[in-house]
Amino acid sequence: MTPSPRPLSVRQLNRLRVIEAIYREPATSRADITRRTGLARQTVSTIIEELERASLVEERCATDAAPARNTGRPPILLSLVPGAAFAVGLDFGHQHIRVAVCDLSGQPVVDDWSPAEVDHAPTESLDLARELVSHALTSAGIDRDRLLGVGMGLAAPINKSTGELEADGILPGWHGIRPAAEMEARLGIPVELANDADVGALGEKVFGAGSAVEDLVYVRLSAGIGAGMILAGRPYHGALGVAGEIGHVLADPRGPICRCGNRGCLETIASPVAVAALLERSTGRPVTIQTLLALVAAEDRGARRAVADAGEAVGKVVSALVNIVNPQLVLVGGELAAAGDVLLDPIRAAIERHSVAPAARSVRVTAGSLGPRAEVLGAAALILAQAPHMLAERVLR
Ligand SMILES: [Zn+2]
C-alpha cells in the first residue's frame, strides 16, 4: 500500500535535517545533531540507524576527544560515507574541457582535461565531454547510480529560468543549443548549467581562497572577461541570471566593436586575447596566451606593459563594482591570473584610486587559490550544495 504523502514528507524532512547537520559539520556526535536539528533524541537515533543501514553514514570513535559526560566513554562521531555518492563538474573553457568527480566530502577523486575548440564546435565539445565523464567514472570505478548530478560551467551568460544561453554574438556557435539538455541526453544524469565565472566564484568560496569570506567577487580573465559574485554568503546571479558581465562594461568609448555588438567593452582592450593581439602587432609574430605569460615571466618589457595596462583597465571597472557591492575579497582567476603581481598591482592601484576610500580599504585583491581548477570544482559544488536534499529523497523513500 502506498503510504499517504504527508507522514512520508515529514519523515523525509526529518531525514533531510539530520543529513544536513552531518553534511555541514562532519564528525559530529548524536547529541550535537539532536541539539542542532531540534528533533527528539529517539527520532535522531532511528534516522541514523536507517542511514547506516543504507551505508550513507559511518561512525568512528573520537579517541582524542574528551569523554562524554553521561557514559565516560569517548563520543562516537558521525560522518557521511564520502564514497556513498559523487558529483561531477564540467568546465567548458574556450579551448579546453575539464572534468572533476568529487565525493561527498568534496574531495576530487578524478580531475582530467582535454583541449577542445569549444566556441566553434558545440556538438563535438558535448561529445568529448561525454567521453571525458565516462572515462573518469571508469577509471575511478564509480557506478552511475552513485552520481547525484553534473554541474556544467560555460563561458557565456546563462538565462537561469530557461537554462539557455543569452549569448547572441558572445558564443555564436552555440546559438539555439540547450547545453544542459544536450549533455543530459548524452549522460542520462541530471545536468545543471551555469556561467563559468559564477562557478569559479563558487569553487573559490567552497574549496579555495574565499572559504571564510561572505562577500567576494571572482574576476575571470580568460578568452573573455566575467565576474562571479558571492554576496552575504550566497551566489548572486541577478534577475535573469546574467549579473557580473563586467567584460561588457564600457572601458573605451572609441575602442573597437565588441563581439556583443557594443563599442569599447572591457573585453576588447583587456582580455588575454586582446592583450596578446597587441603584442602580435608590435612583435609581428603570433602570440598565444601561453607565449604572453612566458614573455611576462621573462621580464619582456612590452609584455609586462601590455598586461599592466590590462590590469589597470580591469581595475577601473572592478573599482565601480567595489563601490556597488563592497566586497571583502576580489579574487582574480582565468589564464591571465598566472601573470601575478604584474597584473594584480595595477588592479589594486586602480581600486585604491577610483573606489570610495572605506570600500577600497576593506577589500583585498589576490589571485584565486585553485588556479585552473576553480571552475570545474565550482561546477561540482553546484551539485554538492543540493546533496543533502538529493540524498534525503533517495534513501528509503
Ligand atoms: Zn561587449
Side-chain angles (χ1 to χ4, degrees), residues 111-122:
D111 180 1
D112 193 11
W113 71 281
S114 168
E117 278 302 320
V118 171
D119 296 8
H120 309 293

Side-chain angles (χ1 to χ4, degrees), residues 270-322:
S271 71
V273 173
V275 176
L278 271 183
L279 287 174
E280 273 177 22
R281 206 177 306 150
S282 67
T283 60
R285 55 193 160 92
V287 176
T288 62
I289 295 176
Q290 287 69 29
T291 322
L292 170 66
L293 291 170
L295 286 169
V296 169
E299 310 231 332
D300 178 272
R301 224 170 109 82
R304 290 169 77 94
R305 172 65 189 270
V307 169
D309 286 353
E312 188 184 348
V314 170
K316 279 183 184 166
V317 171
V318 172
S319 72
L321 199 53
V322 165

Side-chain angles (χ1 to χ4, degrees), residues 170 245-250 256-268:
I170 291 180
E245 285 296 330
I246 61 166
H248 302 281
V249 168
L250 179 67
I257 298 294
C258 178
R259 59 189 175 137
C260 75
N262 291 337
R263 181 188 274 276
C265 295
L266 179 62
E267 246 187 48
T268 64

Side-chain angles (χ1 to χ4, degrees), residues 3-282:
S4 64
R6 194 178 167 81
L8 188 64
S9 80
V10 170
R11 264 182 68 186
Q12 280 187 325
L13 196 64
N14 289 345
R15 196 181 297 139
L16 172 63
R17 285 157 78 180
V18 172
I19 293 173
E20 246 171 357
I22 304 174
Y23 183 73
R24 306 281 168 225
E25 207 166 310
T28 191
S29 68
R30 277 179 173 77
D32 278 340
I33 296 168
T34 305
R35 186 176 45 78
R36 294 219 311 276
T37 57
L39 295 171
R41 216 168 54 179
Q42 186 53 48
T43 308
V44 168
S45 286
T46 307
I47 292 172
I48 286 169
E49 276 168 29
E50 278 179 3
L51 298 176
E52 282 177 334
R53 275 200 304 275
S55 302
L56 188 60
V57 163
E58 61 187 5
E59 359 183 286
R60 70 178 176 81
C61 225
T63 46
D64 51 346
R69 252 176 297 163
N70 51 347
T71 62
R73 290 194 298 268
I76 289 171
L77 302 183
L78 299 153
S79 297
L80 294 185
V81 176
F86 295 86
V88 176
L90 275 172
D91 167 34
F92 285 66
H94 290 275
Q95 289 168 340
H96 73 266
I97 298 174
R98 200 169 185 122
V99 62
V101 183
C102 293
D103 67 20
L104 279 181
S105 72
Q107 189 65 31
V109 292
V110 193
D111 180 1
D112 193 11
W113 71 281
S114 168
E117 278 302 320
V118 171
D119 296 8
H120 309 293
T123 307
E124 291 81 350
S125 300
L126 290 159
D127 289 343
L128 175 62
R130 177 190 54 201
E131 280 167 35
L132 281 170
V133 172
S134 295
H135 184 257
L137 296 178
T138 310
S139 69
I142 296 169
D143 296 335
R144 270 163 200 267
D145 60 5
R146 279 193 289 161
L147 289 185
L148 295 171
V150 178
M152 174 177 172
L154 190 63
I158 313 283
N159 182 323
K160 68 180 177 187
S161 54
T162 63
E164 292 189 28
L165 306 184
E166 292 288 337
D168 295 336
I170 291 180
L171 214 52
W174 289 72
H175 185 75
I177 290 181
R178 298 180 63 224
E182 291 280 343
M183 208 64 242
E184 220 166 283
R186 282 168 174 77
L187 292 172
I189 307 162
V191 175
E192 188 167 334
L193 179 68
N195 170 262
D196 63 336
D198 288 347
V199 289
L202 187 62
E204 290 287 354
K205 166 70 183 157
V206 175
F207 300 110
S211 60
V213 175
E214 294 289 286
D215 298 282
L216 75 90
V217 172
Y218 174 82
V219 177
R220 188 180 196 198
L221 301 176
S222 189
I225 299 179
M229 289 177 278
I230 307 285
L231 302 180
R234 302 170 73 89
Y236 180 80
H237 300 134
L240 192 68
V242 301
E245 285 296 330
I246 61 166
H248 302 281
V249 168
L250 179 67
D252 176 5
R254 287 189 292 277
I257 298 294
C258 178
R259 59 189 175 137
C260 75
N262 291 337
R263 181 188 274 276
C265 295
L266 179 62
E267 246 187 48
T268 64
I269 60 170
S271 71
V273 173
V275 176
L278 271 183
L279 287 174
E280 273 177 22
R281 206 177 306 150
S282 67

